[in-house]
Amino acid sequence: MTRKFTEKTLLVATHNAGKLHEMRGIFDQHGITLKSAADFDLPEPEETETTFVGNARIKAHAAAKATGMPALADDSGIAVDALDGEPGVYTADWAETPHGRDFMKAMEKTHRLLDEIGAPEPRTAHFHATLVLAWPDGHEEVFEGVANGRLVWPPRGRDGHGYDPIFVPNGDDRTFAEMSWTEKNAISHRARAIAALVEALLD
Amino acid sequence: MTRKFTEKTLLVATHNAGKLHEMRGIFDQHGITLKSAADFDLPEPEETETTFVGNARIKAHAAAKATGMPALADDSGIAVDALDGEPGVYTADWAETPHGRDFMKAMEKTHRLLDEIGAPEPRTAHFHATLVLAWPDGHEEVFEGVANGRLVWPPRGRDGHGYDPIFVPNGDDRTFAEMSWTEKNAISHRARAIAALVEALLD
């Protein structure tokens, strides 16, 4: 059975300020205050799984067990059709450098691979987000969201993170990074997964 | 660039009457008449890929090349979180018998695997649908849709196909197979992928 979320405070198991900001805009409307992993000085567990849900689960259950509170975790990435779904769950890995994450490196690698195989336009791609809400007793609820679109080159726009500067969602001509927070949050993969959570667990 | 679909007739590369019926209900509203693979006596190509988009592409491009018309194909399946996304693209394969497809066999196998690993409730799962619209010149547009929910046992309801009798979508207590066509078509994975196509290519 679905377990409703009835508390007024929710821990989000992320150190990513952008994700927290995006979620805060939505949960505020439901009278729920978000706490972050940083508020509790939680460690970042290693993401060793091969699926979005596997990695989101690791983070959600670790945070719920460490704090005794329900904890929400997110795993997300972009699947490029001509690359048979890559980078997918390895989106962040493609951006790893000795000095941190550099998504320009990952975007350039993607573009180079697409050119090498001669992938025709449109270079369709899909942002996926998986949310896991875990309780300290091990119960969990899982939600997914998708944003459909295409990759463009060169990158455009200053806002957004990850692949946002080269992803144009269907129904628009701008990249995610050229949109305002409000515009992106109306159609993003994460917004859709959160909407599914809200529909199932809050209303 | 996105290529709009401006014709009045669309070929759907499927022999599945249920899929065709679901799509017809939506495309009718946009003044587009659907033709089926059976109308053109098209063969069913082998689905040899490991992704939804790979298999949908095979079907869409084969039909577009054979007929000289734009062709729409669908590949879909259910991803069970506790099985790390299985059966996924192999959903239909799990149902294969010497005498055709028996989804009760596939649903029983899924339930047995979940019991064997002691998967806790809720047994979250996600129906995925990928649509590929291919033109005879090789251009393609790709769309995905997701329906979030959980698996129940025993199966319930007489309508629907595939895993519908054991899938309860979030926000409801009934399985997809206990809903009317209209109700399911408002929230299904395929309906969401079609809505994305309509938004991007028709309006």
Side-chain angles (χ1 to χ4, degrees), chain B residues 13 19 24 47 53 95-96 99 160 171 187 196:
Chain B
K19 284 186 188 179
R24 204 158 257 155
E47 301 179 17
V53 65
E96 287 299 336
H99 309 292
I187 58 173

Side-chain angles (χ1 to χ4, degrees), chain A residues 54-133:
Chain A
N55 286 325
R57 252 188 196 150
I58 289 174
K59 293 181 273 189
H61 286 286
K65 288 210 174 75
T67 61
M69 291 171 61
L72 181 66
D74 158 278
D75 201 48
S76 55
I78 192 163
V80 181
D81 288 326
L83 303 179
D84 221 20
E86 297 276 345
V89 70
Y90 304 107
T91 302
D93 295 337
W94 282 28
E96 287 299 337
T97 73
H99 309 291
R101 284 181 184 168
D102 178 359
F103 275 100
M104 184 57 70
K105 174 175 162 280
M107 290 190 288
E108 280 170 351
K109 175 176 173 181
T110 302
H111 179 66
R112 190 174 63 244
L113 288 174
L114 287 168
D115 281 349
E116 279 173 11
I117 62 172
E121 302 282 350
R123 292 169 167 184
T124 50
H126 315 270
F127 265 119
H128 287 263
T130 299
L131 291 177
V132 173
L133 177 58

